[in-house]
Amino acid sequence: MSGKEGGQHPFHARNVDEVLTHFGVEPDQGLTDSEVESQREEHGPNSLREAQTRSGWKVLLDQCKSVVLLVLAAAAVLAFVMGEIAEGVAVSAVVVINALIGFLSEWKATKSMAALREMGETETRVRREGNEREIPVSELVPGDIVLLEGGDFIPADLRLVEANSLRVDESPLTGESVSVDKSTDACAEDAPLAERVCMAYKGTGVTDGSASGVVIATGMETELGEIASMAEGAEVQDTPLQQRLDRLGAWLAYATIAVAAVIAGIGLLTGKEPRLMIETAIALGLAAIPEGLPIVATIALARGMWLMAKRQALINRLTAVETLGSTQIICTDKTGTLTENRMRVERIVTPAGESGVEDAEGANRRVIEIGVLCSNATVEDHDDDGEADAELGDPTETALLRAGLDVGIERKATLEEKPETREESFNSDVMMMATYHQAGDRHEVAVKGAPQAVIAACTEVVSGEDGSEPWDDAQREEWKSRAEELAGDGLRVLAMADKEVHETGEEPYETLRFVGLAALLDPPREEVREAIESCRRAGIRVVMVTGDQAATAEAIARQVGILRDGESGVVEGRDLKPPDKLNDEERRKILETRVFARVSPGQKLHLVKTFQEAGRIVAMTGDGVNDAPALKQANIGVAMGLRGTDVAREAAAMVLKDDRFESIVAAVEQGRIIFKNIRKSVIFMLCTNVAEILAVAVASATGMVLPLRPLQILFLNVVTDVFPALALSVGRGGTREMDRPPLQEALLTKRHWLAIGGWAVIVGAMVLIALNLGMHWLGFSSGVAVTVSFLTLGLAKLWFVFVLRDRGSSFLRNDIVRNPWIWASLALCLVLLAVAIYMPGLADVLGNEPLGASAWFLALGCSVVPFLIGQIRRAMQSPPEPAEDGQGAAD
């Protein structure tokens, strides 16, 4: 039977004897070899299934689905059929280059499943046929009795049979920042995974104590296996830029096919040669497609990736940076992301009053001393500088030892003064720990534990410097309420008590003196509040998604600014449902909530999907195994590099090397700059490409000589277009990128298309005017006239770069003029245009003829007209309102 079934009740809700009976195993004997073989045949090896990933050939073939590439491929085939070998080879080269660019930007080996599998490549101790054996983890089967000690990784899902002071670090699976105390007691059937104290799960680790447990699930049937299945099934989302560029390319391709068909039909009906109409169709196809766009977009994103690497963010997928520029929601873990993942003593509360660590005196100082004495942890200060250099043990205990160092109570020196004579280890049944220490002819007993348990065991309370007095039930209830208040502030609370005894054999938890409470906090990172405030200004909702308790999550959320005064509401994981199970009110509540607590891996995935189905662009941060499915499902997954697991890093699109939340904010800003730069590049290329379409279409429809030959168009689009577009794509951007809402509009809006159409008409008209003036006024041959129109368009492209300066900027001081790459690209393009006209061989292939001075003046005069119109238009425009700033040529 599958470990996930467990009869009528899940195994965590059944007592030990019922579970052992279910598997037919005695804990002191274990399974027989024949039973092991039978279970292995039914359940298979204890390993995670290898993910099915696309092969490199499949990714490469998928590039052929692009409508843009299909149009270009059709143009290449037509060229070969017409015997235009040079044109066919050139267009084919463009197809291959674009396909390779798409392949290289998309191809990314899926390693998350491999990283998950590596967690199982160890050995474990089991009891079989009455003997202890050490076997590979992969050979475990349901019913095996596994033996655990401190430091062991848990190899499968176990129902605990014995637990001796057992504590388990479940943070990779649940997100809990503190080790969990375990026992053999059954728990409620509906208990969330983080509260199943009688279970130990594959992929987590033993921090203290020892235990034995019966395997109830292996391989893909474990909780870790379920996460692997979710990560395997999560959909990798196309980024907004990918979607926008794909839509743009498809629209251009379909529009070109329609225009070409209309013009070809008109030409054939009017008696024009089929060969001429095919050549026209090829020219139109090449004119419509901005062949350099994939190159420009890739280079712009690659530069963004390089800039982000300097800001401690490693990008696994080029378009990830741009995605952050469109992000509306950042779902972030708490532990290690918003907080330091390092407990510290925040407050000390005694009958003498409340204090911090540094100003602790009298009873408050005694609280710290008890915490130092009653401990199994070690904190070493090698440099005697008061700072902890090496720590080993439970985070709460190391925090108490660090507090001791702060006030001069060093554990080693204190134990020399008061040697430990007995230890009563922490017991999850009594929720307390005690140590005995020699103090003259008597023994001091130091006790720490859960407030409810310690307070119940006390008959006296500290008074004055070191005195005591009886206390009554009313005082006990008062202190229990005080402990609950501290817990409500997101603090982990421990109670401290002591007493003196004559012999070490005396009972530790009777007639104690209550000394006080120590409240501990995993503090927020210093820079987080400012980073979250930047996100608010940028219109980005930061949502905490954690496995911790609701009170702790809400307290941290308020400290870092996720929740402000007047904002309330924490939704717990048990209230989260799959998106298709939510009603309208539940969906509205989720979309408005900023803090989610006690959330399981599956619930994180449901949350991301709910946001996405509401049309939100979602970034998800995380560091644990439990985060992997949501990291993969999110539009962009952001993993922590320092504290993150391999599984999280491999599933994410971006890894923060320094784990700093503010690095995400820097990525958001860079993403917005990249989006605007790519928009300018696209506008630049489309304005001149549409001008080519109009010039060729009008010439064909009116019977004029075609102003541009196919290879001339290809040369202008691939060579002279690319360098200015690249220069535009690496602009530094403005200073107010984070004062605007997320980029949710299309890459090109209606306003952009109107601008493109208007500029294309002007540029296309000047190309045709140059052609006709050359032929009918200056008497150029058709070859020279076509070369003039080629040069006119080439020069117009270069002049047009300056039209793209931001609205409200001055003629001499703007983002274009101050970009050194612009000037370098323009100089290079001028050289390339001259080479295309005068270099033997290349000029012949392109169909260009040498030009005299009059031809150059004609081309220069016609090409500068769009530039002059653009500068007059910019001079007449007023600076934009803040909400419209940075639109560039869109205005």
Side-chain angles (χ1 to χ4, degrees):
M1 177 182 290
S2 168
K4 288 293 178 185
E5 296 171 5
Q8 285 187 331
H9 303 289
F11 289 119
H12 62 266
R14 304 170 73 178
N15 64 43
V16 171
D17 290 338
E18 287 180 302
V19 177
L20 292 172
T21 300
H22 173 87
F23 288 103
V25 63
E26 294 292 333
D28 58 345
Q29 293 295 315
L31 297 176
T32 65
D33 289 342
S34 61
E35 289 172 331
V36 169
E37 288 302 317
S38 175
Q39 288 283 64
R40 185 173 292 120
E41 287 181 8
E42 180 179 353
H43 298 285
N46 179 33
S47 57
L48 301 180
R49 180 172 61 246
E50 185 171 356
Q52 296 294 319
T53 58
R54 291 190 300 166
S55 67
W57 285 111
K58 179 66 166 59
V59 174
L60 186 59
L61 288 174
D62 283 347
Q63 307 308 311
C64 298
K65 298 177 181 178
S66 166
V67 177
V68 172
L69 290 186
L70 291 175
V71 171
L72 290 174
V77 170
L78 282 173
F80 283 122
V81 170
M82 296 297 298
E84 301 290 345
I85 305 301
E87 291 179 4
V89 170
V91 178
S92 298
V94 172
V95 171
V96 171
I97 291 171
N98 277 278
L100 287 176
I101 289 173
F103 169 78
L104 293 174
S105 63
E106 181 179 345
W107 170 245
K108 174 176 175 281
T110 305
K111 299 177 182 177
S112 56
M113 294 298 294
L116 282 166
R117 289 194 302 275
E118 288 174 4
M119 299 180 70
E121 295 174 359
T122 56
E123 293 193 335
T124 189
R125 288 190 305 132
V126 299
R127 186 176 289 127
R128 287 180 179 173
E129 296 191 329
N131 299 313
E132 289 189 15
R133 302 180 187 176
E134 198 163 279
I135 64 169
V137 166
S138 60
E139 295 183 8
L140 281 176
V141 297
D144 259 326
I145 302 297
V146 175
L147 309 177
L148 300 171
E149 293 181 349
D152 288 347
F153 276 102
I154 295 170
D157 284 2
L158 309 177
R159 172 58 166 92
L160 296 175
V161 176
E162 295 180 357
N164 303 309
S165 303
L166 183 66
R167 307 192 77 184
V168 176
D169 176 12
E170 294 187 331
S171 59
L173 194 64
T174 66
E176 284 277 13
S177 57
V178 178
S179 297
V180 180
D181 299 308
K182 294 291 185 177
S183 72
T184 60
D185 297 334
C187 49
E189 185 172 338
D190 62 351
L193 187 143
E195 296 177 6
R196 297 175 190 173
V197 296
C198 60
M199 301 294 296
Y201 292 104
K202 182 178 177 69
T204 61
V206 178
T207 57
D208 293 294
S210 60
S212 64
V214 57
V215 175
I216 60 107
T218 59
M220 296 301 291
E221 296 176 350
T222 62
E223 293 292 336
L224 188 65
E226 287 192 4
I227 293 176
S229 295
M230 287 189 287
E232 192 177 68
E235 299 176 4
V236 177
Q237 301 293 308
D238 278 346
T239 68
L241 181 63
Q242 286 176 315
Q243 296 168 358
R244 290 164 178 149
L245 291 179
D246 288 346
R247 286 196 297 266
L248 174 61
W251 187 90
L252 287 172
Y254 292 133
T256 301
I257 292 172
V259 171
V262 170
I263 291 177
I266 293 173
L268 292 174
L269 289 174
T270 56
K272 293 188 177 179
E273 295 181 8
R275 181 185 182 90
L276 178 61
M277 289 299 96
I278 292 175
E279 184 177 351
T280 302
I282 294 174
L284 283 170
L286 296 178
I289 308 299
E291 290 86 356
L293 182 56
I295 300 172
V296 170
T298 300
I299 296 298
L301 294 170
R303 182 175 181 272
M305 182 172 65
W306 174 73
L307 290 173
M308 286 311 304
K310 294 175 66 176
R311 299 288 294 272
Q312 303 300 310
L314 299 178
I315 309 300
N316 292 337
R317 191 165 59 244
L318 282 180
T319 46
V321 177
E322 181 274 336
T323 306
L324 275 170
S326 302
T327 296
Q328 296 167 291
I329 294 176
I330 298 177
C331 295
T332 175
D333 193 11
K334 176 185 73 68
T335 305
T337 307
L338 300 177
T339 66
E340 295 179 359
N341 197 22
R342 190 171 188 253
M343 300 292 288
R344 75 178 184 208
V345 179
E346 187 75 5
R347 304 183 212 169
I348 299 171
V349 185
T350 69
E354 180 177 322
S355 74
V357 172
E358 291 77 6
D359 53 354
E361 297 178 358
N364 295 56
R365 183 180 174 88
R366 176 60 178 165
V367 167
I368 298 175
E369 184 180 17
I370 292 173
V372 171
L373 290 171
C374 189
S375 176
N376 285 313
T378 59
V379 170
E380 298 181 10
D381 176 16
H382 298 301
D383 302 327
D384 297 324
D385 58 359
E387 294 293 329
D389 296 323
E391 300 181 3
L392 181 64
D394 182 82
T396 57
E397 293 192 343
T398 59
L400 289 166
L401 296 188
R402 276 188 273 110
L405 287 177
D406 290 340
V407 296
I409 304 176
E410 199 269 329
R411 177 171 166 78
K412 185 176 180 181
T414 305
L415 288 177
E416 289 176 357
E417 181 183 341
K418 299 178 179 181
E420 184 177 311
T421 56
R422 174 189 169 189
E423 176 186 324
E424 190 74 18
S425 299
F426 179 86
N427 187 314
S428 58
D429 293 328
V430 298
M431 301 299 290
M432 290 182 284
M433 172 186 179
T435 54
Y436 291 66
H437 300 270
Q438 186 72 46
D441 60 347
R442 298 170 68 81
H443 296 272
E444 287 185 9
V445 181
V447 176
K448 79 172 190 297
Q452 299 282 343
V454 173
I455 290 171
C458 292
T459 58
E460 296 181 328
V461 61
V462 69
S463 66
E465 282 293 319
D466 197 30
S468 61
E469 60 184 33
W471 68 341
D472 54 28
D473 289 341
Q475 290 174 305
R476 288 191 181 90
E477 292 304 316
E478 180 183 342
W479 278 97
K480 287 179 182 178
S481 297
R482 186 74 179 100
E484 290 174 359
E485 289 176 8
L486 292 169
D489 291 337
L491 300 170
R492 179 175 174 80
V493 185
L494 293 175
M496 306 295 181
D498 64 6
K499 68 177 179 177
E500 289 188 350
V501 297
H502 292 284
E503 303 292 339
T504 58
E506 294 187 37
E507 171 60 40
Y509 304 129
E510 293 180 354
T511 63
L512 293 172
R513 180 184 71 160
F514 177 78
V515 179
L517 304 173
L520 298 94
L521 174 70
D522 180 9
R525 293 175 178 270
E526 292 183 1
E527 72 280 357
V528 162
R529 188 175 186 88
E530 182 179 348
I532 289 175
E533 185 59 32
S534 294
C535 289
R536 278 188 180 263
R537 291 198 309 271
I540 299 170
R541 177 183 288 265
V542 179
V543 175
M544 180 192 292
V545 185
T546 179
D548 261 337
Q549 299 284 351
T552 302
E554 182 172 1
I556 294 295
R558 293 196 181 281
Q559 291 178 41
V560 300
I562 290 177
L563 286 177
R564 288 177 172 174
D565 293 341
E567 296 176 347
S568 62
V570 177
V571 171
E572 296 200 27
R574 64 170 63 96
D575 298 322
L576 291 175
K577 303 175 185 176
D580 58 348
K581 303 294 184 182
L582 295 171
N583 59 41
D584 291 342
E585 178 60 25
E586 290 170 332
R587 183 174 287 103
R588 182 195 61 78
K589 184 178 181 181
I590 287 174
L591 294 177
E592 293 178 355
T593 298
R594 294 179 182 269
V595 181
F596 296 87
R598 309 303 277 172
V599 178
S600 71
Q603 290 160 349
K604 287 186 179 183
L605 189 61
H606 294 330
L607 186 61
V608 172
K609 288 183 176 179
T610 299
F611 286 140
Q612 289 175 332
E613 289 187 5
R616 307 295 198 272
I617 304 297
V618 183
M620 168 74 186
T621 74
D623 54 12
V625 173
N626 59 319
D627 295 322
L631 286 172
K632 188 176 178 183
Q633 175 68 37
N635 298 89
I636 176 171
V638 184
M640 302 298 111
L642 294 178
R643 294 178 174 85
T645 60
D646 286 343
V647 179
R649 287 193 290 265
E650 297 299 341
M654 186 169 86
V655 179
L656 302 181
K657 292 193 295 183
D658 57 1
D659 289 10
R660 298 175 66 175
F661 191 84
E662 65 180 11
S663 295
I664 301 175
V665 179
V668 170
E669 182 176 23
Q670 191 62 42
R672 294 181 173 195
I673 291 172
I674 285 175
F675 179 85
K676 284 176 55 182
N677 288 343
I678 291 178
R679 170 181 280 172
K680 284 189 176 182
S681 298
V682 171
I683 290 172
F684 166 75
M685 286 187 280
L686 287 186
C687 282
T688 52
N689 279 38
V690 174
E692 294 167 355
I693 296 175
L694 293 176
V696 171
V698 170
S700 177
T702 59
M704 278 191 269
V705 173
L706 289 183
L708 298 163
R709 296 187 174 92
L711 282 183
Q712 290 176 334
I713 293 173
L714 196 61
F715 181 88
L716 291 172
N717 289 0
V718 176
V719 180
T720 59
D721 266 14
V722 168
F723 296 110
L726 281 175
L728 288 168
S729 73
V730 296
R732 295 181 180 180
T735 59
R736 299 177 54 197
E737 303 301 335
M738 295 302 291
D739 293 334
R740 304 182 183 91
L743 300 165
Q744 297 304 312
E745 61 186 11
L747 183 64
L748 298 177
T749 65
K750 180 180 179 180
R751 186 173 64 254
H752 296 112
W753 282 112
L754 290 174
I756 289 170
W759 289 115
V761 168
I762 295 171
V763 174
M766 298 319 298
V767 169
L768 291 175
I769 288 172
L771 174 73
N772 284 281
L773 286 177
M775 291 182 66
H776 303 298
W777 181 43
L778 297 177
F780 296 154
S781 66
S782 61
V784 172
V786 169
T787 305
V788 168
S789 60
F790 164 80
L791 181 59
T792 300
L793 181 59
L795 293 174
K797 286 173 180 279
L798 305 187
W799 284 114
F800 187 71
V801 170
F802 295 100
V803 176
L804 297 174
R805 64 182 172 92
D806 288 337
R807 175 180 167 184
S809 60
S810 68
F811 177 68
L812 296 177
R813 293 181 59 84
N814 57 69
D815 58 320
I816 303 296
V817 171
R818 288 181 292 187
N819 185 343
W821 296 106
I822 292 290
W823 296 102
S825 67
L826 297 183
L828 176 59
C829 288
L830 285 172
V831 172
L832 291 172
L833 285 173
V835 167
I837 294 172
Y838 295 108
M839 176 179 282
L842 178 59
D844 295 336
V845 170
L846 295 176
N848 286 329
E849 297 185 16
L851 299 179
S854 59
W856 272 93
F857 280 120
L858 176 60
L860 185 62
C862 290
S863 67
V864 80
V865 171
F867 165 80
L868 295 175
I869 294 174
Q871 299 311 312
I872 293 171
R873 179 173 177 268
R874 277 288 183 247
M876 296 173 62
Q877 289 177 325
S878 59
E881 296 297 325
E884 300 173 355
D885 188 23
Q887 296 301 312
D891 303 309

